[in-house]
Amino acid sequence: MDRQLMLFACFLLLVSSTQAIGVKYCDKKKNYAVTIQQVKIIPDPVVTGKPATFNISAVTGQAVYGGKVVINVAYFGVPVHQETRDVCEEVSCPIAAGDFVLSHTQTLPSFTPPGSYTLKMTMEDKNNEELTCFSFNFKIGFHSLVSDS
Ligand SMILES: *[C@@H]1O[C@H](CO)[C@@H](O)[C@H](O)[C@H]1NC(C)=O
């Protein structure tokens, strides 16, 4: 391989590995119908009292016509936030088999302390059949007075 190309490939690998957010499935042995490709957190770190968006790139093996998404946020294992949303609010329905992006936006309460949090997401279809269940970590930064102006 061309040396420059190889350097470029190494660079890409480095960049993507530093940005990748590790996703853990709730049940490693289960074959979920929906698998997660990538999680994007905007902004990262999340700012307390301001909207945070979680863009979840996923692949579904079957078409999804509806259902719900259950979100649990925990701080050092202590649940701080739970909510249930209609799947079709987070992604346009029906979801055809293949790639899709689920975009979840929420504002965490302004008293949420900065630190490391875990977000667990469960997706169910209309028949309450679990499509996927996974978790990942995200950070909440200190409230910046500068960005408030
Ligand atoms: C997040 O997903 C939404 C909906 O698909 C899209 O409009 C937005 O551009 C995405 N943001 C980023 C940073 O990928």
Side-chain angles (χ1 to χ4, degrees):
M1 203 202 279
D2 176 32
R3 196 160 158 257
Q4 245 176 350
L5 204 70
M6 200 145 107
L7 276 176
F8 186 59
C10 286
F11 172 74
L12 279 186
L13 208 72
L14 204 76
V15 168
S16 59
S17 68
T18 52
Q19 287 185 338
I21 289 155
V23 170
K24 263 192 271 176
Y25 289 103
C26 305
D27 184 349
K28 283 192 200 106
K29 291 188 207 112
K30 199 165 167 179
N31 275 322
Y32 290 112
V34 171
T35 51
I36 311 307
Q37 303 280 87
Q38 202 193 10
V39 174
K40 252 193 220 165
I41 302 167
I42 310 133
D44 189 9
V46 167
V47 182
T48 254
K50 297 220 169 154
T53 300
F54 301 93
N55 272 13
I56 293 139
S57 311
V59 180
T60 177
Q62 64 195 57
V64 178
Y65 300 98
K68 62 179 182 180
V69 175
V70 180
I71 287 134
N72 278 287
V73 178
Y75 181 60
F76 289 114
V78 181
V80 291
H81 182 79
Q82 190 195 33
E83 70 181 297
T84 303
R85 295 255 184 109
D86 194 317
V87 168
C88 303
E89 269 176 46
E90 314 256 277
V91 51
S92 63
C93 286
I95 310 166
D99 299 359
F100 68 97
V101 176
L102 189 149
S103 187
H104 173 72
T105 302
Q106 67 173 50
T107 303
L108 287 162
S110 50
F111 57 79
T112 316
S116 186
Y117 288 75
T118 306
L119 188 149
K120 181 178 148 198
M121 190 180 277
T122 306
M123 197 172 154
E124 287 174 9
D125 71 7
K126 277 186 165 166
N127 307 316
N128 299 321
E129 206 61 58
E130 198 175 61
L131 295 170
T132 196
C133 174
F134 63 95
S135 64
F136 59 87
N137 296 328
F138 72 97
K139 281 195 172 63
I140 294 187
F142 282 97
H143 188 75
S144 163
L145 293 170
V146 180
S147 66
D148 230 15
S149 56

